[in-house]
């Protein structure tokens, strides 16, 4: 019943969080950094639109046990009761 | 390419799925505008070149999926850039949750201030996509590697050790020791090495590594749970219960801030309830198991039949004991 939980992926960088009064420009001193306007408006719109177009081309069918997804050339099955890999 | 899908996970589109001219423009923008900003915040080791590992669009839509989000996880690249493709006022809930910010003044959930704003963090820092309550939240996530950097080498070694752990824990320990040498503050490597030591029967080494991991990453509920397991193995029952209580408290905090409930929170409860039942505190153990049953009903996809069986068996055992008292 007792079990060790193993991480799926692994945490590497663990540094103390600095007080907010200290200006932080290095990522190693912070949990995260903010950058305004990393993407211009026209690229935001075109990226979203292209992603929607990709998903609209997709289809999903299902039977008793699985969902079958088709996005362009990619097809895969997802078990209804568990996660799985799509290739 | 392999894509991991879960039914609670929102749909994603990779850059190569997008129309070619848009993908090309996006790639050029990343190299010309995003890379310099990343380099500026990685200055001490900026001699290592940057390389995009993957670029994906994730769309959380609360109208098509109930409470869409991403469970707590870390990614195997150097840096993650999370750019808002929708305005923050277009959705309720959402944002990125960092356990490492639990004790910070601003709270653990980070949201963009405006459309196009980016959040940059080390990919290996645990984070979650907070469940969306309403509206649509779309983000562009760019995974960037700092090629051949010590931190990336450390991640590779950990990934190899993770795969080797069950079949050859001694080899995994060697790999993890090299990883820790490259990245001494690597809590995950220490944690993973502690599980290898347990497999090798070295409880004292496991305890040392697990204590170090929990100390380096005090808000990681999994490390507290495993510290409890190792303390139990070392004979420190009271210390183990304290660690499991702290683990449960942290898991509850995660849920309070909108993280998808984790199956690991049930493990911690099982561990504590078993230990408490050894003290003949059947009422306390039953209370913990009732909460575990609630969690199971919230996250049915990840819970194994064995875990459900263990919870039900322990609860039934405690109820029976209470009736006989």
């Amino acid at each position: 019943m007792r079990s060790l939980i193993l991480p799926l992926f692994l945490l590497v960088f663990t540094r103390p969080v600095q007080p907010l009064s200290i200006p932080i420009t290095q990522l190693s001193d912070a949990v995260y950094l903010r950058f305004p306007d990393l993407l211009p408006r026209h690229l935001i719109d075109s990226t979203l639109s292209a992603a929607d177009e990709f998903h609209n081309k997709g289809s999903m069918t299902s039977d008793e046990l699985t969902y079958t997804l088709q996005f362009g050339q990619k097809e895969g099955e997802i078990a209804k009761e568990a996660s799985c890999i799509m290739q | 390419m392999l894509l991991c899908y879960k039914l609670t996970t929102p749909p994603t589109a990779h850059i190569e799925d997008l129309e070619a001219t848009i993908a090309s423009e996006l790639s050029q923008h990343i190299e010309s505008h995003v890379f310099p900003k990343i380099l500026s915040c990685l200055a001490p080791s900026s001699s290592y070149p940057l390389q995009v590992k993957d670029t994906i669009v994730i769309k959380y839509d609360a109208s098509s999926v109930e409470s869409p989000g991403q469970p707590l996880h870390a990614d195997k690249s150097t840096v993650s850039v999370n750019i808002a493709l929708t305005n923050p006022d277009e959705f309720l809930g959402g944002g990125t949750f960092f356990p490492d910010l639990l004790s910070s003044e601003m709270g653990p959930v980070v949201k963009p201030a405006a459309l196009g704003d980016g959040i940059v963090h080390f990919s290996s820092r645990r984070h979650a996509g907070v469940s969306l309550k309403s509206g649509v939240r779309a983000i562009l996530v760019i995974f960037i590697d700092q090629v051949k950097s010590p931190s990336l080498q450390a991640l590779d070694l950990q990934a190899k050790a993770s795969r080797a752990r069950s079949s050859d824990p001694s080899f995994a320990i060697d790999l993890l020791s090299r990883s820790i040498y490259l990245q001494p503050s690597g809590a995950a490597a220490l944690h993973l090495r502690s599980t290898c030591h347990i497999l090798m029967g070295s409880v004292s080494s496991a305890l040392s590594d697990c204590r170090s991991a929990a100390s380096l990453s005090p808000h990681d509920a999994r490390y507290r749970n495993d510290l409890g397991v190792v303390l139990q193995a070392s004979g420190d029952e009271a210390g183990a219960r304290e660690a499991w209580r702290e683990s449960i408290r942290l898991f509850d905090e995660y849920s309070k801030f909108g993280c998808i409930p984790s199956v690991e929170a049930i493990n911690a409860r099982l561990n504590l309830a078993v230990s408490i039942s050894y003290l003949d505190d059947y009422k306390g153990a039953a209370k913990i198991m009732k909460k575990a049953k609630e969690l199971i009903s919230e996250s049915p996809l990840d819970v194994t039949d064995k875990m459900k069986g263990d919870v039900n068996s322990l609860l039934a055992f405690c109820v029976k004991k209470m009736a006989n008292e």
Side-chain angles (χ1 to χ4, degrees), chain B residues 234-273:
Chain B
S234 74
D236 184 357
E237 300 266 349
R241 283 191 290 276
E242 187 183 337
W244 287 324
R245 283 196 179 91
E246 177 62 5
S247 175
I248 292 167
R249 187 191 72 76
L250 287 168
F251 277 124
D252 287 349
E253 283 281 291
Y254 297 175
S255 295
K256 192 175 90 181
F257 285 102
C259 285
I260 294 170
S262 164
V263 69
E264 294 156 344
I266 297 163
N267 276 21
R269 284 184 160 83
L270 267 168
N271 287 330
L272 179 60

Side-chain angles (χ1 to χ4, degrees), chain B residues 251-301:
Chain B
F251 277 124
D252 287 349
E253 283 281 291
Y254 297 175
S255 295
K256 192 175 90 181
F257 285 102
C259 285
I260 294 170
S262 164
V263 69
E264 294 156 344
I266 297 163
N267 276 21
R269 284 184 160 83
L270 267 168
N271 287 330
L272 179 60
V274 169
S275 182
I276 284 179
S277 70
Y278 289 163
L279 300 175
D280 296 340
D281 180 3
Y282 303 115
K283 190 177 174 185
K287 187 178 173 187
I288 293 167
M289 285 301 86
K290 282 176 185 168
K291 179 64 183 175
K293 282 194 79 166
E294 280 178 35
L295 289 176
I296 287 172
S297 69
E298 290 171 20
S299 55
L301 292 174

Side-chain angles (χ1 to χ4, degrees), chain B residues 153-208:
Chain B
Q153 290 179 49
L155 273 178
D156 284 338
L157 287 164
Q158 287 172 57
K160 283 178 189 162
S162 187
R163 289 192 292 271
R165 175 190 164 274
S166 299
S167 59
D168 192 348
S170 176
F171 176 56
I173 287 173
D174 288 344
L175 293 171
L176 289 164
S177 297
R178 285 161 56 195
S179 173
I180 293 162
Y181 174 78
L182 289 167
Q183 194 75 43
S185 60
L190 284 160
H191 170 247
L192 189 56
R193 196 171 67 175
S194 79
T195 68
C196 297
H197 283 309
I198 280 285
L199 289 173
M200 301 284 289
S202 308
V203 175
S204 60
S205 298
L207 186 56
S208 172

Side-chain angles (χ1 to χ4, degrees), chain A residues 1-7 9-15 17 20 25-28 30-44 46-48 50-52 54-55 67 69 71 74 78-87, chain B residues 2-7 11-12 17-18 25 29 37 40-41 43-44 59 74 81 85 110-111 115-122 124-126 138 151 155 158 165 183 185-186 188 191 195 216-217 222 225-226 232 264 267 271 274 278 301:
Chain A
M1 191 173 294
R2 298 187 177 105
S3 59
L4 288 171
I5 309 300
L6 293 175
F9 299 101
L10 304 162
L11 182 72
V12 173
F13 306 92
T14 305
R15 296 282 293 266
V17 179
L20 289 175
T25 55
Q26 297 300 299
L27 196 52
S28 55
V31 172
Y32 70 93
L33 292 176
R34 281 184 190 275
F35 289 94
D37 298 320
L38 267 189
L39 208 60
R41 182 61 192 251
H42 78 278
L43 257 181
I44 291 172
S46 59
T47 300
L48 259 183
D52 282 342
F54 170 71
H55 284 295
Y67 296 99
L69 300 177
F71 288 111
K74 298 174 190 168
I78 297 175
K80 285 187 173 177
E81 294 300 319
S83 62
C84 74
I85 299 298
M86 176 180 179
Q87 187 158 25
Chain B
L2 291 177
L3 297 172
C4 268
Y5 269 75
K6 283 188 173 183
L7 296 183
T12 59
D17 298 327
L18 308 182
E25 191 179 357
H29 178 83
K37 290 187 166 68
S40 73
C41 63
K59 195 169 182 179
V81 184
L85 297 180
V110 179
K111 292 188 177 184
L115 192 67
D117 282 3
I119 304 290
V120 177
H121 61 88
F122 285 125
S124 55
R125 193 178 287 282
R126 295 224 341 139
S151 59
L155 273 178
Q158 287 172 57
R165 175 190 164 274
Q183 194 75 43
S185 60
H191 170 247
T195 68
L216 282 165
S217 199
R222 302 165 310 152
N225 176 58
D226 290 358
Q232 173 89 17
E264 294 156 344
N267 276 21
N271 287 330
V274 169
Y278 289 163
L301 292 174

